[in-house]
Amino acid sequence: MNISVILATYNRNDILSVTLNSFVELVVPQISWELIVVDNAGNAATKDLVSSFNGKLPVTYLVETKKGKNNALNAAIACAKGELYVFTDDDIIATPEWLTEMWEGAKRWPNHSVFGGRILPHLPAGKEIPIREHFFSQGAYVIADFGIPEGVYSAGKVWGPNMAIRSNIFSSGYSFNTSVGPDGSSAYIMGSETELTKRLEEGGYASIYLPKPLVYHQIREEQLELDWLYGRAFRAGRGAANIQNEVGFPLVFGVPRYLFRQLINNFIQITRAKIACNRYNLFDSTIKLHITRGMIYQYYSKAKAGA
């Protein structure tokens, strides 16, 4: 088996249907592959949907009811048969050459094991991304279009909708960290795949950017609201604090003291942006405020849990 495509889903059948239909159009000459869909909700309707693609796709349906995307991914890894595990999400639209380009790209880098592809947004008709040029919007909408040639790049830019890892990495003992990533709550710790790719980078496994394997990320209308972005910023702050080491910083209730000064500065910058009627600066300052809030919350939660 050349490729195992792995995705987790949680009660999003309308979106998942679009994704699965795009897989039907994949052009995969001379590539043996399987698709593993892990239902993290145990939804009968999801089972029926996936089963409707039997005969159209080489699909296996699994159920992992222990909440957490990474629990679901680890469950799929336990039964995957491919040499290359291609991870994606239940809200992408694959281009026909996606798997072929990923397989060929991995073959061009035989001494590397971690790969990330290109991701572009698929927006509702007539809608636009808020402040698209801002760094946070790029990450929030998972726009991986870096304008760089194929080659080594930062593990932090290998994103979940379009990434691949050789199977031997997992057989050597690596797995997804089940304490991070979507878990059915609204305040989960972000960094599901990034936590693993950065850990692999620290272990000597550099990541390779492959611009040819392309998928589109389905953006829903509610995700274009500022409140959704601010919630994501809070979760991003939690994710950042989860992997950072606070050693060397003076602490207040387990929280690095500088974060409280940073929080005050965030409020000051928001006030200045409002007075100046500067939309970009207001967005920037508000995003940073919620990231800081998330970091404070996570540091305090870790300290409380360890008390």
Side-chain angles (χ1 to χ4, degrees):
M1 182 76 67
N2 298 136
I3 291 176
S4 295
V5 177
I6 296 172
L7 69 84
T9 189
Y10 187 88
N11 290 336
R12 303 204 300 182
N13 293 337
D14 54 338
I15 295 170
L16 176 62
S17 176
V18 175
T19 299
L20 295 177
N21 275 299
S22 76
F23 291 167
V24 174
E25 303 301 320
L26 288 172
V27 178
V28 284
Q30 300 178 337
I31 294 177
S32 58
W33 70 291
E34 64 176 349
L35 168 63
I36 303 175
V37 176
V38 191
D39 182 358
N40 202 210
N43 187 319
T46 301
K47 181 179 181 180
D48 290 343
L49 171 62
V50 175
S51 296
S52 72
F53 284 86
N54 288 333
K56 301 177 186 177
L57 294 170
V59 62
T60 298
Y61 172 80
L62 299 179
V63 175
E64 175 52 73
T65 54
K66 187 174 182 180
K67 292 295 183 290
K69 178 182 178 181
N70 283 355
N71 284 314
L73 295 181
N74 285 337
I77 288 167
C79 67
K81 304 180 184 70
E83 299 173 39
L84 185 71
Y85 296 167
V86 176
F87 297 96
T88 190
D89 288 342
D90 64 357
D91 59 356
I92 65 105
I93 300 172
T95 54
E97 304 293 335
W98 172 51
L99 279 191
T100 299
E101 293 291 359
M102 186 67 83
W103 180 249
E104 293 299 322
K107 284 167 60 177
R108 288 193 294 273
W109 298 86
N111 297 321
H112 289 76
S113 298
V114 184
F115 307 92
R118 192 162 162 243
I119 309 166
L120 295 176
H122 183 270
L123 294 163
K127 298 294 183 177
E128 295 183 358
I129 288 175
I131 319 292
R132 179 166 176 160
E133 67 274 20
H134 192 274
F135 78 92
F136 191 79
S137 291
Q138 295 288 313
Y141 297 109
V142 204
I143 304 172
D145 188 26
F146 303 117
I148 57 175
E150 180 173 302
V152 176
Y153 75 141
S154 168
K157 292 183 176 181
V158 182
W159 291 340
N162 196 8
M163 61 180 278
I165 301 176
R166 296 193 194 276
S167 60
N168 65 321
I169 293 294
F170 297 99
S171 59
S172 71
Y174 282 96
S175 63
F176 287 95
N177 183 342
T178 58
S179 69
V180 299
D183 59 5
S185 72
S186 61
Y188 62 84
I189 303 171
M190 283 180 60
S192 175
E193 297 86 2
T194 304
E195 190 279 337
L196 173 61
T197 57
K198 286 189 173 181
R199 192 157 27 102
L200 287 169
E201 186 176 60
E202 291 171 359
Y205 296 99
S207 300
I208 299 296
Y209 178 54
L210 301 175
K212 289 184 178 180
L214 170 64
V215 301
Y216 289 87
H217 180 213
Q218 300 178 57
I219 307 299
R220 303 182 299 283
E221 289 202 24
E222 65 269 21
Q223 293 177 311
L224 298 171
E225 300 293 331
L226 289 178
D227 283 345
W228 182 87
L229 279 166
Y230 297 153
R232 190 172 178 89
F234 178 83
R235 295 192 297 273
R238 289 195 66 188
N242 190 60
I243 61 176
Q244 287 181 4
N245 189 341
E246 66 271 19
V247 173
F249 294 110
L251 303 179
V252 177
F253 301 115
V255 179
R257 192 170 60 192
Y258 78 87
L259 284 174
F260 295 106
R261 295 194 300 270
Q262 187 167 294
L263 189 69
I264 294 170
N265 185 59
N266 293 149
F267 279 113
I268 292 171
Q269 295 305 316
I270 287 172
T271 302
R272 288 175 176 171
K274 287 180 177 178
I275 293 171
C277 297
N278 189 313
R279 180 170 174 262
Y280 181 91
N281 286 351
L282 178 59
F283 178 81
D284 178 72
S285 301
T286 308
I287 287 293
K288 290 176 179 176
L289 168 71
H290 289 290
I291 292 173
T292 304
R293 286 183 56 245
M295 293 182 72
I296 291 172
Y297 179 91
Q298 184 61 22
Y299 275 123
Y300 177 75
S301 297
K302 288 197 297 183
K304 188 176 179 180

